[in-house]
């Protein structure tokens, strides 16, 4: 059945010309995107904002701070539940205050450009970013960075059950040079498991595609269970409903459970947010549902960390609490010393 609601696919992320529409209108396709990876959304946002800044300079015009505030409020509402996007938005909000505190000269536009640059052109900087606006460091870590930490769980002919797909899962699955069988399902409300399965098959990987309800019963056949996510909190990560059941079964059976995540997925302040569209786009649960029926349409839920779960990250295999260490801003403490 064809969904009645809009499903947007964000394509090219490169700004091609001076803005002809208000910023809010140019960001509209990005706000409605339910498929693009979180790092791509963050980069696309940074590019559009940089285009706005550069247009202001080239036109010798005053920067419209009110328009920026309204546009970013829209982004917070629609895409701010994703870790990289939330970190970018928070950095942009904090940039003027950080500049004043650190004695960095220039106006708002210059400070925005300084922060936006590393999101678009990360360069060779490998230092972990603290999350502090205008500070050095890699904003979005390579999605294949967790792959070395996953290798000890695997050997030739291993079986990996993917509980929840993500861009990290895709990159790491393609990076591992072993004959591995991946067990996948449709992957939640956006059917992220399907393109992942297609990519793996095209790359010569073995794939078993099953119903989502079958995943808990297949944990016992797996050598490892992988979880992907778009946001990590202080004690939980965001995943489609059902992830906690697979995690509990992996713990019961002693199958290694790995959350594939890098530091840029950690939410500012460590508090997870559920996507607003999960409630408003109820057609994803039931299109043309009978009147007076209450639809619990939110497809995502926080999945609590357990003692059994380890995080495969750019820092190796770490405990969930350790993932946030690389995202802490220690500059104030350093100055105090």
């Amino acid at each position: 059945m064809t969904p009645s609601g809009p499903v947007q696919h964000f394509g090219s992320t490169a700004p091609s010309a001076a803005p002809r529409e208000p910023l809010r209108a140019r960001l509209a396709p990005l706000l409605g995107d339910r498929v693009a990876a979180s790092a791509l959304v963050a980069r696309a946002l940074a590019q559009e904002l940089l285009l706005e800044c550069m247009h202001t300079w080239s036109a010798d015009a005053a920067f419209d701070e009110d328009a920026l505030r309204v546009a970013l409020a829209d982004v917070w509402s629609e895409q701010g539940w994703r870790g990289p996007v939330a970190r970018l938005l928070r950095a942009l909000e904090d940039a003027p205050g950080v500049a004043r505190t650190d004695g960095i000269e220039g106006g708002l536009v210059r400070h925005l450009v300084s922060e936006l640059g590393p999101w678009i052109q990360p360069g060779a900087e490998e230092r972990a970013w603290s999350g502090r606006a205008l500070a050095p460091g890699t904003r979005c870590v390579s999605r294949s960075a967790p792959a070395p930490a996953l290798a000890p769980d695997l050997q030739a002919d291993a079986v990996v059950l993917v509980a929840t797909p993500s861009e990290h899962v895709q990159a790491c699955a393609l990076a591992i040079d072993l004959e591995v069988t991946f067990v996948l399902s449709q992957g939640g409300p956006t059917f992220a498991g399907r393109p992942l399965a297609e990519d793996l098959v095209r790359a010569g990987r073995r794939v078993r595609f099953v119903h989502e309800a079958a995943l808990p019963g297949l944990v016992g056949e797996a050598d490892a269970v992988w979880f992907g996510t778009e946001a990590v909190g202080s004690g939980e990560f965001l995943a489609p409903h059902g992830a906690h059941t697979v995690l509990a079964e992996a713990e019961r059976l002693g199958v290694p459970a790995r959350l594939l995540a890098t530091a840029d997925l950690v939410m500012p302040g460590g508090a997870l947010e559920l996507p607003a569209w999960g409630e408003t786009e109820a057609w994803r649960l039931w299109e043309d549902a009978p009147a007076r029926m209450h639809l619990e349409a939110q497809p995502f839920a926080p999945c609590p960390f357990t003692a059994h779960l380890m995080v495969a990250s750019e820092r190796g295999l770490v405990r969930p609490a350790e993932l946030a260490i690389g995202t802490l801003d220690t500059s104030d403490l350093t100055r105090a010393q």
Side-chain angles (χ1 to χ4, degrees):
M1 182 176 293
T2 303
S4 60
V7 179
Q8 306 260 354
H9 298 271
F10 199 78
S12 173
T13 62
S16 57
R20 298 177 181 272
E21 297 180 289
L23 177 61
R24 192 178 189 185
R26 298 203 319 276
L27 293 180
L30 184 151
L31 300 182
D33 196 308
R34 308 294 180 240
V35 177
S38 57
L40 178 61
V41 172
R43 185 183 181 196
L45 173 60
Q47 287 176 318
E48 287 294 349
L49 294 176
L50 182 60
L51 178 61
E52 184 79 1
C53 292
M54 300 308 295
H55 175 69
T56 299
W57 271 343
S58 64
D60 195 24
F63 191 79
D64 192 339
E65 294 185 39
D66 290 337
L68 175 66
R69 204 163 14 251
V70 170
L72 294 189
D74 290 343
V75 180
W76 268 118
S77 175
E78 294 295 328
Q79 298 283 3
W81 60 280
R82 300 168 123 182
V85 179
R87 290 167 69 80
L88 169 58
L89 293 172
R90 180 59 56 81
L92 294 176
E93 290 179 351
D94 292 348
V98 170
R100 287 193 299 271
T101 300
D102 293 355
I104 302 174
E105 296 182 354
L108 174 63
V109 175
R110 186 176 298 277
H111 299 150
L112 292 179
V113 169
S114 296
E115 176 56 40
L116 292 168
W119 289 91
I120 299 169
Q121 298 290 343
E125 174 66 66
E126 295 297 333
R127 175 181 170 185
W129 181 46
S130 67
R132 181 180 173 84
L134 308 179
T138 300
R139 269 37 176 184
C140 286
V141 182
S142 169
R143 275 27 200 160
S144 61
L150 297 165
D153 295 330
L154 307 177
Q155 56 186 357
D157 297 322
V159 176
V160 173
L161 187 145
V162 177
T164 53
S166 73
E167 53 188 330
H168 289 78
V169 169
Q170 178 191 39
C172 291
L174 293 174
I176 291 176
D177 189 21
L178 287 172
E179 288 294 324
V180 174
T181 298
F182 293 93
V183 181
L184 299 167
S185 68
Q186 69 181 29
T190 60
F191 302 105
R194 294 183 182 180
L196 173 59
E198 292 173 347
D199 289 343
L200 294 179
V201 169
R202 278 195 295 267
R205 303 298 195 266
R206 295 193 297 249
V207 174
R208 291 172 56 192
F209 201 79
V210 304
H211 290 288
E212 279 189 282
L215 291 179
L218 297 175
V219 171
E221 301 179 21
D223 296 285
V225 179
W226 289 2
F227 296 84
T229 187
E230 300 218 60
V232 176
S234 58
E236 54 203 4
F237 65 96
L238 199 66
H241 284 294
H244 69 285
T245 304
V246 179
L247 178 57
E249 187 66 3
E251 186 164 16
R252 186 181 74 84
L253 297 175
V255 178
R258 308 297 185 228
L259 174 64
L260 282 58
T262 46
D264 50 90
L265 297 187
V266 179
M267 292 291 289
L272 293 182
E273 297 285 344
L274 297 177
W277 60 261
E279 297 288 349
T280 58
E281 298 177 8
W283 56 266
R284 293 179 181 273
L285 179 62
W286 191 338
E287 185 182 14
D288 300 324
R292 297 187 300 278
M293 178 179 290
H294 174 66
L295 296 179
E296 297 185 3
Q298 177 57 254
F300 291 93
C303 184
F305 295 142
T306 69
H308 185 67
L309 181 70
M310 297 289 287
V311 180
S313 74
E314 71 273 27
R315 299 175 57 238
L317 201 62
V318 299
R319 293 288 178 189
E322 297 176 68
L323 181 64
I325 291 178
T327 72
L328 296 176
D329 178 16
T330 59
S331 57
D332 290 335
L333 177 61
T334 301
R335 284 197 296 270
Q337 295 174 336

